[in-house]
Amino acid sequence: MVMDRRIKALLGMMVVSLFWAPSFAVTKDVLSFTGPVSLVCIRFLGAACLMTVLCVPLHSKTKIRKEDRCLYLVTAAMIPLHYVLSNIASLSLNETESIMFSSFQSLLTMIIASLLLGSKIKPLTSIYIGMAGIGAVLLMEFQSSPSLVKTGYAVMMSAMVVWVIYCVLLTKLLEYYRIGNLIRGQFWLTGIILLPWMIIEDNQFGQIDGGQLVCLAYLIICCTFICFVLNAKGIKEIGPIPSSLVLIIGPVLVMALDMGKTGLHLSPRRLTGVLFILAGIVLVVLDIVRGTKKETAENERMG
């Protein structure tokens, strides 16, 4: 049923938020023995191998149509660009500063989707994205920062824009191709493109300990293989804008984890930001449920 597919996709996006919330801290740990480019190469080659083993028996090969090749390659190129920029930024930012930029993902998605796809913005969509955007601003800490941190902010914002472009372009490809085949091919392309750089980059793989190996496996399996598939399903079933809004629960989760480690309490301003974000997410869930009920009723009436 339509309702089942969309609710499952919505739950899947929440799982993505849970996996991606601690990923910045995990990435920072792994970057202690490998470079930013090498880490992206390892993540996606590992995920590509895992996905090939698990998905080849399930899906027949799908050839990319000639008219879609340029779109496919541009979309695939967004992946290494986003993650290399994100890894570089994480060298100067902590996990809380890094994840906060995803708070603006829904607003960026709405703008870029309207530009690239010609999507019309519904009034309710504007309301819940506006609420989430206000919440995102309230979560940010506005204070003087050294030039290195300011550079990290600029790089992380660039990475977020690239990611949003990827999700919007992926929407077009998902109209014609299976998620498994599409994502697997992009994983292989990302890993192969970056492999020459990994060979020459200064890596210290001999210093990996057991904990760092677990962190690397977490990035490959949970944050790459599982999250990319669930993210694609969310985009396909409920659209890129609602999917991006669900993901901004990530900053709230990171703050909760940080509070658990430091014992700090939320300031009134940040508490208000959390409430605005949660209100936006509740609105998008209600919008999806209302839309699927209406579609189901129409299908039953017609047939």
Side-chain angles (χ1 to χ4, degrees):
M1 292 176 63
V2 175
M3 173 71 82
D4 292 338
R5 290 201 315 271
R6 291 189 178 178
I7 296 302
K8 287 179 181 178
L10 189 63
L11 293 174
M13 294 306 296
M14 292 180 179
V15 171
V16 172
S17 294
L18 288 172
F19 281 148
W20 275 348
S23 65
F24 289 96
V26 174
T27 296
K28 211 172 184 70
D29 191 25
V30 175
L31 285 172
S32 62
F33 65 82
T34 186
V37 179
S38 296
L39 175 55
V40 179
C41 182
I42 294 168
R43 277 184 65 170
F44 285 91
L45 280 181
C49 292
L50 183 62
M51 200 166 189
T52 299
V53 171
L54 295 178
C55 297
V56 165
L58 301 178
H59 302 305
S60 59
K61 293 182 179 179
T62 302
K63 186 177 180 180
I64 302 297
R65 302 182 305 175
K66 187 176 181 179
E67 60 266 33
D68 292 332
R69 288 174 188 171
C70 181
L71 176 62
Y72 178 82
L73 291 174
V74 171
T75 305
M78 295 295 103
I79 298 175
L81 181 57
H82 165 75
Y83 278 98
V84 170
L85 288 173
S86 179
N87 287 348
I88 291 173
S90 68
L91 294 173
S92 59
L93 303 178
N94 60 41
E95 56 266 32
T96 305
E97 293 169 326
S98 299
I99 194 69
M100 286 305 167
F101 284 88
S102 64
S103 303
F104 299 96
Q105 186 172 334
S106 55
L107 179 60
L108 289 171
T109 304
M110 182 176 68
I111 295 170
I112 293 175
S114 64
L115 293 174
L116 297 182
L117 302 179
S119 303
K120 294 182 179 180
I121 308 302
K122 300 177 182 178
L124 183 59
T125 303
S126 300
I127 291 172
Y128 61 61
I129 286 181
M131 293 185 69
I134 293 172
V137 172
L138 292 172
L139 288 181
M140 296 293 287
E141 289 286 358
F142 297 101
Q143 55 187 5
S144 59
S145 304
S147 57
L148 182 61
V149 174
K150 290 179 180 178
T151 301
Y153 287 160
V155 174
M156 185 59 78
M157 181 56 75
S158 299
M160 188 53 58
V161 171
V162 170
W163 174 255
V164 170
I165 293 174
Y166 165 76
C167 291
V168 172
L169 295 179
L170 185 65
T171 305
K172 297 291 292 181
L173 292 172
L174 289 171
E175 294 176 3
Y176 303 101
Y177 304 101
R178 289 179 179 270
I179 291 174
N181 291 333
L182 196 62
I183 300 300
R184 184 176 66 240
Q186 292 176 344
F187 283 178
W188 279 116
L189 275 175
T190 299
I192 292 170
I193 288 171
L194 298 180
L195 187 58
W197 183 272
M198 189 187 79
I199 295 173
I200 64 173
E201 194 170 41
D202 183 24
N203 296 298
Q204 300 174 359
F205 297 125
Q207 299 180 9
I208 303 177
D209 59 31
Q212 291 171 329
L213 195 59
V214 171
C215 288
L216 185 58
Y218 178 81
L219 290 177
I220 292 172
I221 298 171
C222 299
C223 298
T224 308
F225 173 37
I226 295 175
C227 284
F228 265 75
V229 172
L230 292 178
N231 182 64
K233 287 183 178 180
I235 290 172
K236 183 173 183 178
E237 295 296 339
I238 63 178
I241 297 175
S243 297
S244 67
L245 186 69
V246 176
L247 287 178
I248 69 168
I249 194 67
V252 178
L253 294 173
V254 168
M255 284 202 314
L257 291 172
D258 190 49
M259 288 169 58
K261 289 188 294 184
T262 62
L264 297 176
H265 299 286
L266 279 179
S267 65
R269 178 170 61 82
R270 282 194 158 187
L271 178 59
T272 304
V274 170
L275 294 176
F276 269 101
I277 287 177
L278 293 178
I281 293 174
V282 169
L283 283 175
V284 75
V285 171
L286 293 175
D287 189 30
I288 291 170
V289 172
R290 184 172 59 88
T292 51
K293 283 183 177 179
K294 182 178 179 181
E295 187 174 340
T296 301
E298 289 178 355
N299 291 337
E300 290 176 351
R301 188 176 65 252
M302 293 177 63

